[in-house]
Amino acid sequence: MAQAGAAAMPLIVGLIVLFGYLKGVNVFDAFVEGAKEGVSTSVRLLPTLVGLIVGVTLLRSSGLLDAVCHLAAPVAQALGISSEILPLALLRPISGSGASAYTLSLLQQFGPDSETGRIASVLASSTETTFYAVAVYFGACGYRHLRYTIPAALTGDFAALCLAIFTVKCFG
Amino acid sequence: MLNALWFGMIVASVLYALVSGEIGNLSTALLDGSSTAVELTVSMLGSLCAWLGFLKIAEKSGLTERMAQVLSPLIGRLFPEYREDLEIQGKICMNLSANLLGLGNAATPLGLSAMRAMSEKNPSDVPSRGMILFVVLNTASIQLLPVNMATMRASCGSAEPFAILPHIWIASAGALLCCVTVCKLVEQREKRIANS
């Protein structure tokens, strides 16, 4: 399975280049032309990323995120899940690397095949880092007013949390 | 929205750190956070250039347009604004396919290129419905094989690293359905308000 995933990328690249060459495209010139856009895109992205990552780092190192997670413990008890799951649900939309690190610690602490380990695995892989995606995509285009983007995206994150708990509780 | 959120994040963190006595940590956090962002940008720069390069080859050879034609019924339904626009549909297809295959490094550059194409066609200074739906799709996960998670589980000694695969499919499909539904409901309400 893991090998299939690793093979996908080189195969796709090979197919794209082969198809282009057969169609008579000057593949190297086209590649360079496209790659130039990468430079300007990432330069435009940098300020957005600095802003977002500084904000998240402050939130985590001030201890505020931990405090909020602590407050959420009674909610976890009411749901019948381990109180360590909710911090992951709060962290997942904000920080991808933070969520991975936290998932890893849960898997090590409870075991990957325990109920908590399974819920954590499902939760961590069933959504993306919402705020990162929103900031990157809209930041690169310079939009400030995002209308209903964040409510819609967070509805998805909340649904993923409910479904992660539900599926693991039901199917084991 | 990001304006208010970011403001809240910064001010609440500083106030909380003052109260809890962790204020000294914040100055290192500030420096660390900004250099992490630069490291991320530099590490992304190469793959961004490479994937936008391959995308350009695929576009020039007509490959993305063919993919767009195949997936047009679905993309056209989700993004009715761009039903006639095969260039934008092609870019959207490439991004969604990269997401499905779990190629996160490729999905972001392809998505950025789709966003840029959509914003060029957008006369207003607020994002179009299509752009919002596209970003929302990218905040949900549509990955077929969560290889990274399976690897992480295996490294922690899981007896069956892929056992949670059906759970992940159900949870991510359900989440995806929820956020698309929210977008479509808001779109319809806006249309009704505009008509009346």
Side-chain angles (χ1 to χ4, degrees), chain A residues 55-170:
Chain A
V56 171
T57 319
L58 288 183
L59 205 59
R60 286 176 65 191
S61 51
S62 67
L64 183 60
L65 199 62
D66 287 339
V68 174
C69 293
H70 199 69
L71 286 177
V75 184
Q77 268 181 340
L79 288 169
I81 54 169
S82 138
S83 61
E84 269 87 357
I85 291 291
L86 288 185
L88 178 60
L90 292 174
L91 204 55
R92 188 69 194 88
I94 304 174
S95 160
S97 57
S100 296
Y102 190 75
T103 308
L104 188 64
S105 75
L106 286 183
L107 294 185
Q108 282 164 348
Q109 188 184 341
F110 292 90
D113 298 319
S114 66
E115 187 184 87
T116 304
R118 282 164 175 263
I119 296 178
S121 313
V122 177
L123 179 60
S125 8
S126 49
T127 66
E128 292 289 333
T129 315
T130 298
F131 286 98
Y132 173 78
V134 170
V136 164
Y137 284 127
F138 281 127
C141 301
Y143 289 98
R144 297 216 174 125
H145 193 66
L146 309 181
R147 295 165 74 195
Y148 50 90
T149 311
I150 294 197
L154 288 181
T155 309
D157 292 342
F158 183 68
L161 170 64
C162 299
L163 285 166
I165 298 171
F166 176 78
T167 49
V168 173
K169 289 263 180 202
C170 282

Side-chain angles (χ1 to χ4, degrees), chain A residues 1-2 5 9 12-13 16-17 19-20 23 25 27 30-31 33-35 37-42 44-46 49-59 61-64 67 100 103-104 107-108 112-113 117-118 121-122 124-128 130-138 140-141 143-153 155-157 159-160 163-164 167-168 171-172, chain B residues 1-2 5-6 9-10 12-13 16-17 20 22 25-26 29-30 33-34 36-38 40-41 44-45 48-54 56-58 60-61 63 66 95 101 103 107-108 111-112 115-116 119 122 124-129 131-132 135-136 138-141 145-147 149 152-153 156-160 162-164 167-168 170-172 174-175 178-179 182-183 186-187 190:
Chain A
M1 283 287 215
M9 199 175 307
I12 290 165
V13 167
I16 288 175
V17 177
F19 191 82
K23 284 275 168 181
V25 175
V27 283
F31 180 87
E33 190 189 329
E37 289 171 25
V39 181
S40 56
T41 307
S42 56
R44 256 187 307 171
L45 261 179
L46 181 63
L49 280 179
V50 172
L52 189 76
I53 294 180
V54 164
V56 171
T57 319
L58 288 183
L59 205 59
S61 51
S62 67
L64 183 60
S100 296
T103 308
L104 188 64
L107 294 185
Q108 282 164 348
D113 298 319
R118 282 164 175 263
S121 313
V122 177
S125 8
S126 49
T127 66
E128 292 289 333
T130 298
F131 286 98
Y132 173 78
V134 170
V136 164
Y137 284 127
F138 281 127
C141 301
Y143 289 98
R144 297 216 174 125
H145 193 66
L146 309 181
R147 295 165 74 195
Y148 50 90
T149 311
I150 294 197
T155 309
D157 292 342
L163 285 166
T167 49
V168 173
F171 314 138
Chain B
M1 193 79 182
L2 273 180
L5 270 170
W6 195 72
M9 266 161 101
I10 304 275
S13 306
Y16 186 82
S20 66
E22 302 273 339
N25 289 348
L26 283 203
L30 197 73
S34 32
T36 310
V38 175
L40 191 66
T41 308
M44 262 174 48
L45 179 61
L48 202 63
C49 289
W51 281 103
L52 289 179
F54 290 125
K56 188 61 90 186
I57 299 176
K60 288 210 164 167
S61 63
L63 189 65
R66 276 195 196 189
N95 165 268
L101 294 168
L103 307 176
T108 309
L112 284 171
M115 280 298 277
R116 198 189 283 187
S119 85
N122 182 20
S124 144
D125 61 349
V126 293
S128 69
R129 290 173 187 145
M131 296 171 85
I132 294 181
V135 172
V136 169
N138 272 282
T139 69
S141 170
L145 276 185
V147 176
M149 176 51 70
M152 197 197 270
R153 286 169 59 78
C156 293
S158 170
E160 11 179 43
F162 277 102
I164 39 119
H167 309 65
I168 294 178
I170 296 174
S172 52
C178 279
C179 38
V182 171
C183 285
V186 177
E187 284 176 21
E190 282 185 345

Side-chain angles (χ1 to χ4, degrees), chain B residues 21-79:
Chain B
E22 302 273 339
I23 195 79
N25 289 348
L26 283 203
S27 39
T28 23
L30 197 73
L31 297 176
D32 283 352
S34 32
S35 54
T36 310
V38 175
E39 280 163 26
L40 191 66
T41 308
V42 171
S43 68
M44 262 174 48
L45 179 61
S47 73
L48 202 63
C49 289
W51 281 103
L52 289 179
F54 290 125
L55 175 67
K56 188 61 90 186
I57 299 176
E59 280 177 352
K60 288 210 164 167
S61 63
L63 189 65
T64 52
E65 218 174 285
R66 276 195 196 189
M67 279 180 67
Q69 271 163 352
V70 174
L71 290 172
S72 190
L74 176 71
I75 305 282
R77 192 159 293 216
L78 280 172
F79 300 92

